[in-house]
Short mmCIF file of all heavy atoms in Angstrom, two decimals:
data_model
loop_
_atom_site.label_atom_id
_atom_site.label_comp_id
_atom_site.label_asym_id
_atom_site.label_seq_id
_atom_site.Cartn_x
_atom_site.Cartn_y
_atom_site.Cartn_z
N THR K 100 16.35 2.86 -24.85
CA THR K 100 15.70 2.00 -25.84
C THR K 100 14.33 1.58 -25.34
O THR K 100 14.19 1.09 -24.22
CB THR K 100 16.54 0.74 -26.09
OG1 THR K 100 17.84 1.13 -26.55
CG2 THR K 100 15.89 -0.15 -27.14
N ILE K 101 13.32 1.77 -26.20
CA ILE K 101 11.94 1.40 -25.85
C ILE K 101 11.27 0.77 -27.07
O ILE K 101 11.68 1.01 -28.21
CB ILE K 101 11.11 2.62 -25.40
CG1 ILE K 101 11.14 3.72 -26.47
CG2 ILE K 101 11.59 3.14 -24.06
CD1 ILE K 101 10.19 4.88 -26.19
N PRO K 102 10.22 -0.02 -26.87
CA PRO K 102 9.46 -0.55 -28.00
C PRO K 102 8.69 0.56 -28.69
O PRO K 102 8.24 1.52 -28.05
CB PRO K 102 8.50 -1.56 -27.36
CG PRO K 102 9.01 -1.79 -25.98
CD PRO K 102 9.73 -0.55 -25.58
N ILE K 103 8.55 0.46 -30.00
CA ILE K 103 7.67 1.37 -30.73
C ILE K 103 6.26 1.19 -30.18
O ILE K 103 5.78 0.06 -30.02
CB ILE K 103 7.71 1.08 -32.24
CG1 ILE K 103 9.10 1.41 -32.80
CG2 ILE K 103 6.64 1.85 -32.98
CD1 ILE K 103 9.31 0.97 -34.22
N GLY K 104 5.60 2.29 -29.86
CA GLY K 104 4.26 2.22 -29.29
C GLY K 104 4.23 2.36 -27.79
O GLY K 104 3.15 2.39 -27.18
N ALA K 105 5.40 2.46 -27.14
CA ALA K 105 5.45 2.62 -25.69
C ALA K 105 4.85 3.95 -25.27
O ALA K 105 5.03 4.97 -25.95
CB ALA K 105 6.89 2.50 -25.19
N THR K 106 4.17 3.96 -24.14
CA THR K 106 3.62 5.20 -23.59
C THR K 106 4.69 5.92 -22.79
O THR K 106 5.74 5.36 -22.46
CB THR K 106 2.42 4.90 -22.68
OG1 THR K 106 2.88 4.11 -21.57
CG2 THR K 106 1.33 4.15 -23.42
N ALA K 107 4.39 7.17 -22.44
CA ALA K 107 5.34 7.96 -21.64
C ALA K 107 5.65 7.29 -20.30
O ALA K 107 6.83 7.21 -19.91
CB ALA K 107 4.80 9.37 -21.45
N PRO K 108 4.65 6.79 -19.54
CA PRO K 108 4.99 6.10 -18.29
C PRO K 108 5.86 4.86 -18.51
O PRO K 108 6.78 4.59 -17.72
CB PRO K 108 3.63 5.72 -17.72
CG PRO K 108 2.68 6.70 -18.30
CD PRO K 108 3.19 6.96 -19.68
N GLN K 109 5.60 4.11 -19.57
CA GLN K 109 6.42 2.93 -19.86
C GLN K 109 7.85 3.33 -20.19
O GLN K 109 8.81 2.67 -19.77
CB GLN K 109 5.81 2.14 -21.02
CG GLN K 109 4.52 1.42 -20.65
CD GLN K 109 3.77 0.86 -21.86
OE1 GLN K 109 3.95 1.33 -23.00
NE2 GLN K 109 2.93 -0.13 -21.63
N ALA K 110 8.01 4.42 -20.93
CA ALA K 110 9.34 4.91 -21.25
C ALA K 110 10.06 5.37 -19.98
O ALA K 110 11.26 5.12 -19.80
CB ALA K 110 9.25 6.06 -22.25
N ALA K 111 9.33 6.01 -19.09
CA ALA K 111 9.92 6.44 -17.82
C ALA K 111 10.36 5.24 -17.00
O ALA K 111 11.38 5.28 -16.30
CB ALA K 111 8.91 7.28 -17.04
N GLY K 112 9.61 4.16 -17.09
CA GLY K 112 9.93 2.94 -16.33
C GLY K 112 11.23 2.30 -16.76
O GLY K 112 11.83 1.54 -15.99
N VAL K 113 11.69 2.59 -17.97
CA VAL K 113 12.98 2.06 -18.43
C VAL K 113 14.11 2.68 -17.63
O VAL K 113 15.14 2.05 -17.38
CB VAL K 113 13.17 2.34 -19.95
CG1 VAL K 113 14.57 1.98 -20.41
CG2 VAL K 113 12.12 1.57 -20.75
N ILE K 114 13.92 3.93 -17.19
CA ILE K 114 14.92 4.61 -16.36
C ILE K 114 14.88 4.04 -14.93
O ILE K 114 15.90 3.65 -14.37
CB ILE K 114 14.67 6.12 -16.33
CG1 ILE K 114 14.75 6.69 -17.75
CG2 ILE K 114 15.67 6.82 -15.41
CD1 ILE K 114 14.39 8.17 -17.83
N HIS K 115 13.67 3.98 -14.37
CA HIS K 115 13.50 3.43 -13.02
C HIS K 115 12.03 3.10 -12.83
O HIS K 115 11.16 3.87 -13.27
CB HIS K 115 13.97 4.42 -11.96
CG HIS K 115 14.18 3.80 -10.61
ND1 HIS K 115 13.14 3.40 -9.80
CD2 HIS K 115 15.33 3.50 -9.94
CE1 HIS K 115 13.62 2.90 -8.68
NE2 HIS K 115 14.96 2.94 -8.74
N SER K 116 11.73 2.01 -12.18
CA SER K 116 10.34 1.61 -11.98
C SER K 116 9.56 2.66 -11.20
O SER K 116 8.34 2.82 -11.40
CB SER K 116 10.28 0.26 -11.25
OG SER K 116 10.94 0.32 -10.00
N ASP K 117 10.24 3.40 -10.30
CA ASP K 117 9.54 4.46 -9.56
C ASP K 117 9.03 5.56 -10.48
O ASP K 117 8.00 6.18 -10.20
CB ASP K 117 10.49 5.09 -8.52
CG ASP K 117 10.71 4.19 -7.31
OD1 ASP K 117 9.99 3.19 -7.18
OD2 ASP K 117 11.61 4.49 -6.51
N PHE K 118 9.77 5.81 -11.58
CA PHE K 118 9.34 6.84 -12.53
C PHE K 118 8.01 6.47 -13.16
O PHE K 118 7.16 7.34 -13.41
CB PHE K 118 10.39 7.02 -13.62
CG PHE K 118 11.61 7.81 -13.21
CD1 PHE K 118 12.06 7.79 -11.91
CD2 PHE K 118 12.30 8.58 -14.13
CE1 PHE K 118 13.18 8.51 -11.52
CE2 PHE K 118 13.43 9.31 -13.76
CZ PHE K 118 13.86 9.27 -12.45
N GLU K 119 7.84 5.19 -13.46
CA GLU K 119 6.57 4.75 -14.06
C GLU K 119 5.46 4.74 -13.01
O GLU K 119 4.34 5.19 -13.28
CB GLU K 119 6.74 3.35 -14.67
CG GLU K 119 5.47 2.84 -15.33
CD GLU K 119 5.68 1.52 -16.08
OE1 GLU K 119 6.78 0.94 -15.98
OE2 GLU K 119 4.75 1.09 -16.78
N ARG K 120 5.78 4.24 -11.83
CA ARG K 120 4.77 4.13 -10.78
C ARG K 120 4.24 5.50 -10.35
O ARG K 120 3.06 5.67 -10.10
CB ARG K 120 5.38 3.38 -9.59
CG ARG K 120 4.43 3.11 -8.44
CD ARG K 120 4.98 1.99 -7.57
NE ARG K 120 6.34 2.30 -7.12
CZ ARG K 120 6.62 2.96 -5.99
NH1 ARG K 120 5.63 3.38 -5.22
NH2 ARG K 120 7.87 3.18 -5.64
N GLY K 121 5.16 6.49 -10.27
CA GLY K 121 4.74 7.81 -9.80
C GLY K 121 4.63 8.85 -10.90
O GLY K 121 4.67 10.06 -10.63
N PHE K 122 4.47 8.39 -12.14
CA PHE K 122 4.44 9.31 -13.29
C PHE K 122 3.35 10.36 -13.14
O PHE K 122 2.20 10.06 -12.81
CB PHE K 122 4.21 8.50 -14.56
CG PHE K 122 4.14 9.34 -15.82
CD1 PHE K 122 5.29 9.62 -16.54
CD2 PHE K 122 2.93 9.86 -16.26
CE1 PHE K 122 5.23 10.40 -17.69
CE2 PHE K 122 2.86 10.63 -17.41
CZ PHE K 122 4.02 10.90 -18.12
N ILE K 123 3.74 11.63 -13.36
CA ILE K 123 2.77 12.73 -13.35
C ILE K 123 2.57 13.25 -14.77
O ILE K 123 1.46 13.28 -15.30
CB ILE K 123 3.24 13.88 -12.43
CG1 ILE K 123 3.36 13.37 -10.99
CG2 ILE K 123 2.27 15.06 -12.52
CD1 ILE K 123 3.96 14.38 -10.04
N ARG K 124 3.68 13.68 -15.39
CA ARG K 124 3.60 14.16 -16.77
C ARG K 124 5.01 14.17 -17.37
O ARG K 124 6.01 13.95 -16.68
CB ARG K 124 3.00 15.58 -16.82
CG ARG K 124 3.83 16.65 -16.15
CD ARG K 124 3.13 18.01 -16.25
NE ARG K 124 3.93 19.08 -15.66
CZ ARG K 124 3.89 19.44 -14.39
NH1 ARG K 124 3.09 18.78 -13.56
NH2 ARG K 124 4.65 20.42 -13.94
N ALA K 125 5.06 14.43 -18.67
CA ALA K 125 6.35 14.51 -19.37
C ALA K 125 6.41 15.80 -20.16
O ALA K 125 5.43 16.20 -20.79
CB ALA K 125 6.52 13.32 -20.29
N GLU K 126 7.56 16.45 -20.10
CA GLU K 126 7.81 17.61 -20.96
C GLU K 126 8.64 17.12 -22.14
O GLU K 126 9.71 16.56 -21.96
CB GLU K 126 8.56 18.69 -20.18
CG GLU K 126 7.75 19.26 -19.02
CD GLU K 126 8.54 20.29 -18.23
OE1 GLU K 126 9.77 20.35 -18.40
OE2 GLU K 126 7.92 21.01 -17.43
N VAL K 127 8.13 17.31 -23.35
CA VAL K 127 8.69 16.65 -24.53
C VAL K 127 8.96 17.64 -25.66
O VAL K 127 8.14 18.53 -25.92
CB VAL K 127 7.72 15.56 -25.07
CG1 VAL K 127 8.38 14.77 -26.19
CG2 VAL K 127 7.27 14.63 -23.95
N TYR K 128 10.10 17.48 -26.29
CA TYR K 128 10.38 18.14 -27.56
C TYR K 128 11.27 17.22 -28.37
O TYR K 128 11.67 16.15 -27.89
CB TYR K 128 11.03 19.52 -27.36
CG TYR K 128 12.35 19.51 -26.63
CD1 TYR K 128 13.55 19.51 -27.34
CD2 TYR K 128 12.41 19.52 -25.23
CE1 TYR K 128 14.78 19.51 -26.67
CE2 TYR K 128 13.62 19.53 -24.57
CZ TYR K 128 14.80 19.51 -25.29
OH TYR K 128 16.00 19.51 -24.64
N SER K 129 11.57 17.57 -29.61
CA SER K 129 12.31 16.66 -30.47
C SER K 129 13.73 17.16 -30.74
O SER K 129 14.04 18.34 -30.50
CB SER K 129 11.59 16.50 -31.82
OG SER K 129 11.68 17.71 -32.57
N VAL K 130 14.58 16.27 -31.23
CA VAL K 130 15.93 16.66 -31.63
C VAL K 130 15.86 17.73 -32.72
O VAL K 130 16.65 18.68 -32.72
CB VAL K 130 16.74 15.44 -32.11
CG1 VAL K 130 18.10 15.87 -32.66
CG2 VAL K 130 16.93 14.44 -30.97
#
């Protein structure tokens, strides 16, 4: 669960703060 408008690093931070701090990139596709 994330707020509408959250960035990829912010979304990663919901999993773990290290994910946001060390974010490099995201591979994304849709359902």
Side-chain angles (χ1 to χ4, degrees):
T100 302
I101 55 172
I103 293 171
T106 63
Q109 289 169 337
V113 172
I114 300 175
H115 196 287
S116 58
D117 285 349
F118 283 30
E119 181 173 7
R120 184 161 54 90
F122 179 90
I123 298 174
R124 65 181 182 272
E126 296 178 345
V127 186
Y128 60 96
S129 70
V130 174

